[in-house]
Every structure is written in structure tokens, then in C-alpha cells.
Amino acid sequence: MDRCVVLVDAGYLLGAAASLLAGEPARSRITVDHAVLIQGLRERAEEDTGCRLLRIYWFDGAPDRVPQPEHRRLRVMPRVTVRLGALTRSEGRWAQKGVDAAMHAELTELARNRACSDIVLVTGDGDLLPGLMSAKEHGVAVHLWAVQAADGDYNQSEDLVAEADERRVLDRAWITRAVRARDLVGVCPPEPDTRPEIAAILSAPLPDPSPAAAGTGVPPVDAGDTAPAPAPGRNGAPPAPDERAGDSAHGKGVPTPKDLAGLGRPAAHPHPAPSVPTGATLRWSSDKGWVERAPAESPEAAALPTLAQLTTAEQRWADREEDITTVSGDPFEVGQVFARRWIERLTTPAHVRTLSAEYPRIPHRIDGELLRYAARFGLLAHKDDQIDERDRYAIRAGFWREIDARTARTAGEHAPTGE
């Protein structure tokens, strides 16, 4: 059958691209436009083989095999199938498990069933050599693609290279159509944030515990907390919770709710709430880490309906369909989607005012439901740290941005017009 199939080892492709463009194989050092990358793979495969594309198989690792945002984007693209192996951490390094075996199984099965005439392998692992040889014995032409190596040497198994029917090198010019190196400044800098809400939260200064801060609207540190003021963190930024605890192994650079207590609404927030004073305690969903206990959640806030209570069976099915096909799983986007559904299904406008008065704390039941929704996308399934604080802040920032955008839009629609 005159069709071609592409099998991509994402760890090899993106790791080699990172080495080429950023000088090290860490995928965190690059950004990838997956739509452009997939289209480039399809066009190059059809050009090289002279056959129409049947399918692109994308093999990658993920913690607990839970699809990450990039996997969710990929698996809804036409002609793309995602296969996930496990991603495990050993001695401080991440390693894929089961990816090579899955590629080998797919390669031999496609050839045995004569599902295609040509197979393109984007990998460098010599473990696939038996599968490659088996495919050739079934009459399939095997094309082996490499990513240009940063040092000009091979980054593939020489046995694999020798056994392939055709070989092509994806050079820097081809790679940079879809992949670019991140612009990183300084040593161990924070991840770049393009959204002002998250940047305001993550860059907020710590409250000043000194007596000079009295009367400035910043609440003092608890009387029982006699520890000296923490020293500045890396690059002059507030120290991360792990740094203050003396654990430099993590060093995320993300302040806790206690760090941010007393800071009030971030300046980047587009619609300040008059009910929130400047020196209000910054609260999230938990009492843990409060510097100064704020009043308990109001009865009105506690009685706000959850999204599940507002959702019909038909809407629940449509929501799941949307989650699978269009929601990428980006933390900020997850918060926006949840808030959009919640506010669109409300029947009592006063509920929005009640919610806004609670800013920046999301009422406990709604916040718990929001985080459980985020867990569907693998955002809270980090095996080492259990919970990624940056994701949590981004989820809640997305929630509040969507609430603000929709309430502002509603206010504009009902605003009186001049004659």
C-alpha cells in the first residue's frame, strides 16, 4: 500500500534540537510550535517517500503516563497519534521508560500487516535495530531521520544508520521553523511569564516584618515567628520557600501565600475590587501559612453553587468533549475555561458580586472543584513535588482574569449610552 508512516521519538527529536539550539539537551530550554512541527514532518515525509501520509505516531514519556498540555494539543491534530511511556526520575535526572518498546512494537506491527510501504523513523536509539530489520524483511522501506548534531558528529546509533534504506538530516534551518531557544537571562532565572497576573503574583515582594512597617498597611509577622527576615533570593528576587527552609535542592522561586500576605490586589489586575483594602491579607484556598488570620469565609460565599451543581447532563458531556478536543491543558487556560463555564451557567447575577468580594480567595468548595478539574490535565500530578505551586497560581490567575473579563463585558453592555 503506497502510504507512509512517521514514528517520532519525541525525546530524541526535541532533546537533539535543544542541544543544537541551546547547547544542552534539556527540553525546558526550547519552545516548540507543535502545529508547525507536525506540518513540517508531514510535508517532508510525503516529499521523501513519494507517498501520502497515513499517520504520524508521536512517542513520548509523561509522569504516570498522564498526558501533558503538549500531548493534549498533539493528539487532537489530524493524522497524529500519541503514545506515552512513563517518565521517571532517578538520581536527579528524568528518564523515559517503555517508549522504545512501544516504538518497536508499532514498527513491527505496521510492517507485518503491510499497512504502509514506507516508514520514517525519527530516532537515534540502537534498540530499534531489530524492529528496523524486521520491517525491511516484510518489504517496507525504512527512512531514518537525524537532527543535526551540535558538534557535527553522529547523535544516532551507527548500526541503525548503516541498516536504514534512506537517511536524511534535519538541519538547523529546518528545525528553527518550529523550534527556538528560550531567552534566559542570568543564573537559574525564573521561567518567563507573559501574563501580567502571574508575573505580579510571582514577583511580589515579601512583607517587611520590621517595626518600621507599622502603620503602612502591611500586617506584622506573627508574634510566634521570631526568625530573622529572609535574605534576598537569586537575582534579588524574594527567596523561594525551599530556600528559606534551607533546602536548596528545589529552589522553585515561587512565594507561598504566607510570603504574599498583606499585599492586596496585584497592580496588574484590570478591575480592582473596592471591597478589598490595600493591606488585605492575600488568601488562597487554605488557612496554612497565613500571617494574619482574616475573617472566616462568609455564609454567602460558602453557599455559592459549584460548577457541578450548575451543569446539566448534556452540558457535562459537551464539557468533556471540549476538554478532549480543544482545551490544551495550559494552567492559565484551565482556570479560564472553568470560570467561563461557571459564570455562563449562573442564574443569579448577585453570585458574581459575592464571588468578586472574596478576591483573591476563591471560595473553598469552588477552589477545590477547580483544582480537581485541573488534575484531569495532569497539572497536579508531579511525582516529586506532588503539587506545582506555579501551576496553582496560574490556574487561579486564569480563573480571576476570566471572571473580570466577563463581568467587565456585562457592565459595558448595561452601561447607559449618551445621546
Side-chain angles (χ1 to χ4, degrees):
M1 187 172 292
D2 293 335
R3 294 186 295 186
C4 65
V5 170
V6 182
L7 305 183
V8 180
D9 179 348
Y12 166 76
L13 174 60
L14 300 182
S19 294
L20 178 64
L21 303 181
E24 60 180 88
R27 287 162 63 170
S28 60
R29 296 294 306 275
I30 57 174
T31 57
V32 183
D33 186 329
H34 290 90
V36 173
L37 181 59
I38 292 298
Q39 184 62 28
L41 290 170
R42 178 172 187 164
E43 292 174 354
R44 177 58 57 87
E46 291 183 339
E47 178 184 341
D48 281 10
T49 64
C51 303
R52 293 185 60 190
L53 178 77
L54 172 62
R55 190 173 297 114
I56 295 175
Y57 288 91
W58 185 273
F59 296 87
D60 203 2
D64 294 331
R65 290 185 168 86
V66 176
Q68 300 301 293
E70 65 179 279
H71 303 137
R72 298 183 66 87
R73 287 191 290 271
L74 284 162
R75 69 184 185 180
V76 296
M77 293 181 183
R79 304 277 178 164
V80 177
T81 296
V82 175
R83 296 282 187 258
L84 295 179
L87 191 63
T88 59
R89 193 176 182 92
S90 177
E91 298 180 356
R93 301 187 64 177
W94 290 99
Q96 295 182 159
K97 300 293 184 183
V99 173
D100 295 337
M103 287 190 71
H104 181 277
E106 199 70 56
L107 173 61
T108 54
E109 193 70 12
L110 287 167
R112 183 181 300 113
N113 292 326
R114 300 188 182 277
C116 56
S117 60
D118 295 71
I119 292 179
V120 176
L121 288 177
V122 186
T123 185
D125 198 330
D127 289 347
L128 285 175
L129 182 60
L132 186 153
M133 297 173 67
S134 175
K136 290 175 63 177
E137 291 171 359
H138 283 89
V140 174
V142 180
H143 305 249
L144 183 66
W145 290 0
V147 176
Q148 178 183 339
D151 56 7
D153 200 358
Y154 281 137
N155 54 12
Q156 291 179 305
S157 161
E158 292 189 18
D159 291 336
L160 207 62
V161 171
E163 195 66 33
D165 293 307
E166 303 284 349
R167 185 169 185 260
R168 174 179 287 279
V169 176
L170 304 175
D171 59 17
R172 181 186 293 267
W174 191 91
I175 292 293
T176 52
R177 295 177 188 174
V179 183
R180 66 178 180 85
R182 289 184 186 273
D183 296 324
L184 301 179
V185 180
V187 180
C188 299
E191 295 180 11
D193 264 314
T194 57
R195 301 182 178 94
E197 303 85 353
I198 304 174
I201 291 172
L202 298 181
S203 63
L206 292 175
D208 183 0
S210 65
T216 62
V218 178
V221 176
D222 287 343
D225 188 357
T226 58
R234 292 184 291 269
N235 301 323
D242 292 329
E243 289 175 324
R244 291 196 309 278
D247 182 4
S248 59
H250 301 288
K252 295 184 201 173
V254 180
T256 65
K258 180 174 181 178
D259 299 333
L260 301 175
L263 293 175
R265 199 181 192 93
H269 206 281
H271 304 292
S275 59
V276 181
T278 303
T281 302
L282 183 61
R283 299 163 287 158
W284 296 102
S285 64
S286 171
D287 292 350
K288 183 178 180 181
W290 285 9
V291 169
E292 191 175 80
R293 289 197 180 275
E297 188 171 276
S298 68
E300 294 80 7
L304 285 173
T306 63
L307 180 60
Q309 293 171 330
L310 298 169
T311 303
T312 65
E314 292 78 8
Q315 288 172 327
R316 189 174 299 111
W317 185 92
D319 289 349
R320 194 60 176 158
E321 179 75 8
E322 182 184 18
D323 290 343
I324 294 171
T325 58
T326 62
V327 181
S328 72
D330 172 79
F332 191 87
E333 180 192 14
V334 166
Q336 287 183 303
V337 170
F338 184 94
R340 169 174 57 80
R341 292 172 182 171
W342 187 82
I343 202 169
E344 284 179 347
R345 294 167 191 175
L346 284 176
T347 57
T348 306
H351 286 334
V352 178
R353 294 192 294 272
T354 300
L355 175 69
S356 298
E358 292 293 307
Y359 183 90
R361 181 183 188 178
I362 302 174
H364 181 73
R365 290 196 308 153
I366 296 176
D367 187 73
E369 188 181 36
L370 170 60
L371 295 181
R372 288 192 298 274
Y373 171 63
R376 295 182 187 175
F377 301 91
L379 295 176
L380 308 180
H382 299 268
K383 295 190 67 175
D384 284 349
D385 302 321
Q386 298 302 319
I387 295 174
D388 188 306
E389 289 297 327
R390 181 176 293 270
D391 283 353
R392 283 181 175 257
Y393 285 123
I395 291 164
R396 286 154 175 157
F399 177 90
W400 282 117
R401 167 50 71 89
E402 187 68 15
I403 293 294
D404 276 335
R406 291 187 171 266
T407 52
R409 189 182 310 151
T410 302
E413 290 172 355
H414 292 87
T417 57
E419 297 186 7

